[in-house]
Amino acid sequence: MPEPQIDKVVVRPTLARAPSSLKESLARQKTKGFVPVWYPSRVVRSSFFEVFFSLLILLQAACLALETQYSGLDWGFKLSYEGYGASAQQIWPSVPGFLQATEMLFGTLFFVECLLRLCAYRWDFFCKLWNWFDFFLVLLWCFDTVLAIVPVDSPVIRLVRLVRLIRLVKLVRAVQGFDSLIVMTTALRDSVTSLFWVAIIMLVVEMMFALLLNQVLVSLIFDAGHDYSEAEEKLLFEYFGTFLRAMLTMFQLTLGTWVPVARILQETVSPYFNIFTILHKVIIGFACIGVINGVFMQETLKVAQSDDIIMMREVANKERTHARKMKAFFRYADHSKDHVITKEEWLRVMSGPHAQHWFSAQGLKVKDASAVFKLLDEDGSNGISMDELIAGVAALQGPARSLDLANLIEDQRQLRKSMKGLLRRLDRMEILESQLASQVLSSSRNTTEPDSWSL
């Protein structure tokens, strides 16, 4: 019966960007067949698409900075501030037209981006929060464009137009496509819980000291009969007069420039407050804040490193680094340039201590170079290819892992099981052989007895 023919799937290289989630990574493994270049799903998943719109966001941020600088020039001119003797229209007359053209260009391109994502993902487009955010930004741009056409101006409309600054938040999503920044963005995202508890601890501690200082200073000013001038009372009230002012002062004493507050307490109230301010800065502002920062960073990185994409990227980076190092060693050891490391070349290179130390740094201690060569030479061709070197060193480096021991135990169990079965078969064969021998002996006796009777 002829075997059924299986159609081969043609796989062509693409410019696909790295997946941003475990779900997306697993979904890509299910994709089969060739997808045309112009297809929206392939365009959206390409690295060029992500990098292009990331650069657009950066360019739009630069244009927003130019617009802010242009508005600041007008503000300084209206205030007659020193150095601002001309209006923005006189200094940069072509900036308004340039900003309007770039705003229309960026808005159109972001509209096309949203449309391509919608065509690529279809109803799944609305299953992600970031896609909703992009869709909302596009609607805001359309609304902003209509407001720019309609000759209506009011403070509310100007505030609505400023909502376009939210587009800068898209940078957070854009940078997640780059390996060098994904750790930071993930850590920032996962630090919300730790930040909440840090804020609670800081608020409780600072509240206690703010109430303490407020009550002490109020009792000194009004109850102890001390004579303070009006300027001194205003100064103390500015820093400690109300609960909110005292809280702000305590945060300044803990996290900011604490010397001005210490000077005010020393010169205005009493020099003995130096003991309080110095102890507070050393204990709370230095030791406690240092411990809180350490715990905060540890918990944040712990949560960030448990992210699926970060773990996969770390493994991929380690594999790329290992392959790059092994290729460099292969080019160094292959003296004959025949793309194979022979046993003589291997022994010559490994005879020196430097190569052994280098392999030890890679996690592979080469005590017996000949034995390691046999383990790396899987096909028994008396030569190590580059693929054999990369795969073999990766398998041998490091201490024995639980998985390796489990595989060894399983192989030993299967070998013992096979040996027991083979021993049973041998026992059965011996039994059958003895039975067969006894039958042959009995049959030979039966055949010889008539002859004896005939005699």
Side-chain angles (χ1 to χ4, degrees):
M1 183 176 179
E3 297 181 355
Q5 296 182 356
I6 301 175
D7 296 335
K8 296 183 178 180
V9 179
V10 179
V11 180
R12 299 183 182 181
T14 61
L15 295 176
R17 60 175 175 83
S20 59
S21 63
L22 179 61
K23 181 179 179 181
E24 182 179 352
S25 176
L26 296 177
R28 289 189 185 186
Q29 298 178 2
K30 300 179 182 179
T31 305
K32 295 181 180 180
F34 172 68
V35 179
V37 178
W38 51 266
Y39 200 71
S41 63
R42 186 175 180 183
V43 173
V44 168
R45 292 185 174 93
S46 65
S47 59
F48 175 78
F49 182 85
E50 198 71 26
V51 172
F52 176 74
F53 283 99
S54 300
L55 293 177
L56 279 183
I57 295 171
L58 293 175
L59 291 176
Q60 188 185 31
C63 291
L64 290 173
L66 179 62
E67 183 179 359
T68 303
Q69 182 67 22
Y70 185 84
S71 302
L73 291 176
D74 271 340
W75 190 7
F77 175 72
K78 292 178 182 179
L79 293 175
S80 300
Y81 198 83
E82 184 180 358
Y84 292 83
S87 63
Q89 183 65 29
Q90 296 174 349
I91 299 175
W92 291 338
S94 59
V95 167
F98 173 77
L99 292 176
Q100 186 176 2
T102 54
E103 180 64 25
M104 185 63 66
L105 175 63
F106 290 141
T108 304
L109 291 176
F110 287 134
F111 178 80
V112 172
E113 177 198 12
C114 187
L115 186 62
L116 286 175
R117 291 185 184 275
L118 184 60
C119 294
Y121 298 114
R122 298 182 181 180
W123 291 111
D124 294 336
F125 175 85
F126 299 100
C127 296
K128 292 184 178 180
L129 183 61
W130 276 115
N131 293 336
W132 277 100
F133 183 73
D134 293 340
F135 186 72
F136 176 69
L137 291 178
V138 170
L139 290 181
L140 283 180
W141 172 75
C142 296
F143 185 63
D144 187 19
T145 305
V146 172
L147 290 178
I149 297 175
V150 177
V152 179
D153 195 9
S154 69
V156 178
I157 294 179
R158 286 196 296 270
L159 289 176
V160 171
R161 289 178 180 177
L162 288 177
V163 180
R164 60 185 177 176
L165 294 174
I166 303 177
R167 292 172 184 167
L168 293 176
V169 184
K170 290 180 64 180
L171 282 173
V172 178
R173 176 187 58 82
V175 299
Q176 289 182 356
F178 301 94
D179 295 341
S180 59
L181 296 178
I182 190 172
V183 177
M184 288 188 292
T185 56
T186 307
L188 289 174
R189 182 195 64 193
D190 295 332
S191 64
V192 177
T193 304
S194 301
L195 181 61
F196 172 77
W197 290 112
V198 168
I200 292 296
I201 294 174
M202 290 298 299
L203 285 174
V204 171
V205 173
E206 300 301 337
M207 181 186 299
M208 180 183 65
F209 283 106
L211 293 175
L212 176 63
L213 276 181
N214 178 268
Q215 295 300 318
V216 170
L217 293 177
V218 167
S219 62
L220 287 176
I221 293 173
F222 296 103
D223 299 335
H226 290 78
D227 294 331
Y228 293 97
S229 63
E230 184 178 355
E232 291 175 344
E233 289 189 10
K234 286 183 178 179
L235 185 60
L236 291 176
F237 176 81
E238 180 182 352
Y239 280 86
F240 302 100
T242 61
F243 172 72
L244 295 179
R245 292 176 182 271
M247 282 287 292
L248 181 60
T249 303
M250 292 310 304
F251 273 101
Q252 178 185 355
L253 187 64
T254 304
L255 303 175
T257 54
W258 64 282
V259 177
V261 180
R263 291 289 184 185
I264 290 172
L265 292 175
Q266 176 189 0
E267 302 296 337
T268 306
V269 184
S270 174
Y272 293 105
F273 272 93
N274 286 337
I275 301 175
F276 168 77
T277 53
I278 293 175
L279 289 178
H280 181 275
K281 185 60 182 178
V282 172
I283 298 175
I284 305 298
F286 181 73
C288 294
I289 295 300
V291 172
I292 290 175
N293 288 335
V295 174
F296 176 73
M297 294 177 62
Q298 180 183 5
E299 293 298 324
T300 300
L301 292 177
K302 186 186 299 182
V303 175
Q305 289 175 356
S306 63
D307 185 78
D308 296 327
I309 294 300
I310 290 181
M311 291 189 295
M312 291 190 297
R313 288 173 185 264
E314 286 182 353
V315 173
N317 290 333
K318 289 181 180 179
E319 291 179 353
R320 287 194 294 267
T321 303
H322 170 73
R324 185 174 65 252
K325 290 181 178 294
M326 291 301 109
K327 289 178 181 178
F329 175 81
F330 187 89
R331 289 191 293 267
Y332 171 75
D334 186 16
H335 298 285
S336 60
K337 305 301 178 183
D338 56 352
H339 306 289
V340 174
I341 299 177
T342 62
K343 188 173 183 179
E344 291 76 11
E345 294 174 339
W346 172 264
L347 294 177
R348 185 187 308 117
V349 173
M350 298 307 299
S351 60
H354 299 289
Q356 296 180 5
H357 294 165
W358 187 82
F359 270 103
S360 298
Q362 309 304 318
L364 177 61
K365 292 184 178 181
V366 185
K367 295 182 179 180
D368 189 353
S370 300
V372 175
F373 182 85
K374 292 180 181 180
L375 294 175
L376 295 177
D377 186 16
E378 295 183 355
D379 55 358
S381 60
N382 200 25
I384 302 174
S385 63
M386 183 177 293
D387 295 335
E388 288 179 339
L389 180 66
I390 295 174
V393 174
L396 296 176
Q397 64 184 179
R401 296 180 293 268
S402 300
L403 181 60
D404 300 329
L405 295 177
N407 291 330
L408 182 61
I409 293 174
E410 180 64 24
D411 294 340
Q412 185 182 11
R413 185 183 296 111
Q414 295 294 333
L415 181 61
R416 291 178 62 184
K417 184 177 180 181
S418 301
M419 291 297 296
K420 289 181 179 179
L422 182 60
L423 291 175
R424 293 195 200 98
R425 292 179 182 178
L426 290 175
D427 293 339
R428 292 175 183 176
M429 291 178 63
E430 290 179 356
I431 295 174
L432 291 175
E433 184 179 359
S434 62
Q435 292 178 355
L436 182 61
S438 61
Q439 290 178 1
V440 170
L441 181 61
S442 62
S443 61
S444 62
R445 289 177 179 177
N446 294 331
T447 54
T448 54
E449 285 180 359
D451 296 338
S452 62
W453 282 104
S454 62
L455 293 173

